């Protein structure tokens, strides 16, 4: 996988971050998101608009093991002119348990220039966390096991939903995260939020700004390497995210919020 395509994978991961009976049990959770929510982002590389990203929460709950689960989808589509440099079609989907926001299954379908990457990750929990991954384009199974530890392991989309579910008072300290993605465990830190304002829909809104620190390596330099701005209200919309990588800076700016029944 070439470096620009691998960078796309990492960006998709953390954009991820910065979303009667069992049915009513699921609906009574006091999360800032709800089924049917669709967030559309303009995507930039440096100063250039290069495409669109969409986070969509299925209006229906799913019950794969008789427990309510969210189904959330994240898609990235690059603009036609940018495909001259780097074609990318990316779709990631997760089933996430409502009560604790733990992932049950994560599916990914990514197509780049001369590269297809399709995989399915299955999560199980006991005294450790086991992840069974099927890489479809290689027709290969891979197995991973991690101790539970003090910091839960999540997939990319449940990381996003868990962070967004937190109350403002829970953002006063550094938050350590462990996210499993592409057969690897990415550990990063979200720095305490500070009050700010952000322009959205031609008006200024109250917001909270957080720094992100990823481990130094092939994709990230030492020091603060990202920024997330959340709306400072009950919705806690991710208004803007910036990821500074060794290949350049990626920016996601919230363009539109919709609710689909």
């Amino acid at each position: 996988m070439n470096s620009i395509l691998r960078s796309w994978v990492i960006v998709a991961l953390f954009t991820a971050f910065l979303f009667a009976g069992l049915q009513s049990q699921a609906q009574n959770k006091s999360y800032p998101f709800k089924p049917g929510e669709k967030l559309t982002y303009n995507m930039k590389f440096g100063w250039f608009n290069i495409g669109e990203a969409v986070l969509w929460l299925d209006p229906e709950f799913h019950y794969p093991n008789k427990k309510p689960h969210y189904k959330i989808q994240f898609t990235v589509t690059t603009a036609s002119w940018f495909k001259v440099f780097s074609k990318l079609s990316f779709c990631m989907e997760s089933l996430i348990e409502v009560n604790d926001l733990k992932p049950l299954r994560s599916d990914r379908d990514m197509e780049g220039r001369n590269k297809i990457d399709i995989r399915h990750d299955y999560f199980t929990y006991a005294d450790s966390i086991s992840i069974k991954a099927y890489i479809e384009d290689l027709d290969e199974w891979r197995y991973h096991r991690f101790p539970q530890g003090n910091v839960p392991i999540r997939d990319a989309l449940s990381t996003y939903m868990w962070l967004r579910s937190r109350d403002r008072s829970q953002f006063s300290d550094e938050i350590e995260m462990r996210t499993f993605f592409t057969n690897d465990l990415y550990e990063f830190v979200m720095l305490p939020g500070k009050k700010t304002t952000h322009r959205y829909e031609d008006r200024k809104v109250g917001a909270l700004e957080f720094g992100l620190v990823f481990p130094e390596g092939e994709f990230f330099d030492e020091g603060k390497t990202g920024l997330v701005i959340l709306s400072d209200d009950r919705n806690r919309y991710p208004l803007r995210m910036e990821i500074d990588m060794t290949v350049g800076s990626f920016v996601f700016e919230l363009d539109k919020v919709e609710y689909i029944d």
Side-chain angles (χ1 to χ4, degrees):
M1 191 183 297
N2 61 41
S3 73
I4 188 70
L5 187 56
R6 292 171 70 192
S7 298
W8 274 118
V9 172
I10 304 301
V11 167
L13 162 65
F14 292 111
T15 303
F17 113 50
L18 286 172
F19 259 136
L22 291 174
Q23 184 81 0
S24 63
Q25 175 194 4
Q27 290 175 325
N28 287 335
K29 297 297 291 186
S30 57
Y31 293 135
F33 41 78
K34 65 180 182 180
E37 180 185 88
K38 182 180 179 182
L39 307 180
T40 302
Y41 291 82
N42 292 322
M43 190 168 57
K44 295 182 179 180
F45 181 68
W47 294 99
F48 300 100
N49 288 311
I50 61 172
E52 180 181 271
V54 175
L55 272 164
W56 180 67
L57 202 55
D58 193 319
E60 301 294 329
F61 292 104
H62 297 255
Y63 301 88
N65 53 10
K66 297 185 180 181
K67 294 181 180 179
H69 285 69
Y70 292 114
K71 182 179 181 181
I72 183 171
Q73 184 184 85
F74 175 63
T75 59
V76 170
T77 307
T78 50
S80 56
W81 70 266
F82 189 73
K83 292 176 182 176
V84 174
F85 304 98
S86 179
K87 177 184 177 182
L88 176 71
S89 175
F90 183 95
C91 180
M92 185 161 55
E93 235 174 47
S94 290
L95 283 175
I96 299 170
E97 211 264 307
V98 167
N99 289 323
D100 56 17
L101 297 180
K102 286 183 178 179
L104 177 69
R105 172 173 171 162
S106 178
D107 301 301
R108 191 184 78 229
D109 186 336
M110 184 178 72
E111 180 181 353
R113 188 179 299 277
N114 301 319
K115 175 68 178 179
I116 296 176
D117 187 354
I118 302 173
R119 64 176 293 136
H120 314 280
D121 294 338
Y122 303 86
F123 292 75
T124 55
Y125 306 88
D127 57 336
S128 60
I129 297 174
S130 298
I131 303 170
K132 181 175 65 173
Y134 176 62
I135 295 84
E136 189 171 311
D137 46 305
L138 300 179
D139 190 21
E140 178 179 304
W141 287 93
R142 296 180 185 174
Y143 300 88
H144 310 268
R145 178 169 288 181
F146 305 97
Q148 291 279 10
N150 295 324
V151 181
I153 294 174
R154 303 178 185 274
D155 75 333
L157 290 174
S158 60
T159 295
Y160 155 75
M161 294 182 76
W162 181 82
L163 283 171
R164 195 171 155 202
S165 73
R166 293 173 68 84
D167 183 80
R168 175 182 169 182
S169 63
Q170 296 173 301
F171 284 120
S172 58
D173 299 315
E174 288 187 4
I175 301 173
E176 296 180 24
M177 300 299 305
R178 296 194 299 167
T179 298
F180 180 82
F181 192 76
T182 315
N183 292 305
D184 209 346
L185 197 60
Y186 292 86
E187 302 186 57
F188 65 100
V189 173
M190 190 169 180
L191 302 176
K194 61 180 181 180
K195 284 190 173 183
T196 185
T197 58
H198 187 77
R199 183 163 292 279
Y200 173 66
E201 292 186 336
D202 297 323
R203 59 190 173 90
K204 284 187 176 181
V205 297
L208 293 173
E209 180 180 306
F210 302 89
L212 297 174
V213 179
F214 304 125
E216 182 182 1
E218 178 184 358
F219 298 105
F220 299 103
D221 295 324
E222 185 179 4
K224 193 173 91 170
T225 46
L227 177 74
V228 174
I229 298 177
L230 299 180
S231 63
D232 190 12
D233 57 19
R234 62 183 178 86
N235 296 308
R236 292 193 283 283
Y237 294 129
L239 299 170
R240 180 181 174 91
M241 187 166 79
E242 302 174 10
I243 303 293
D244 296 323
M245 305 182 69
T246 52
V247 297
S249 296
F250 294 88
V251 177
F252 295 80
E253 191 85 36
L254 183 62
D255 177 58
K256 185 168 52 177
V257 177
E258 303 170 89
Y259 288 92
I260 301 170
D261 294 328

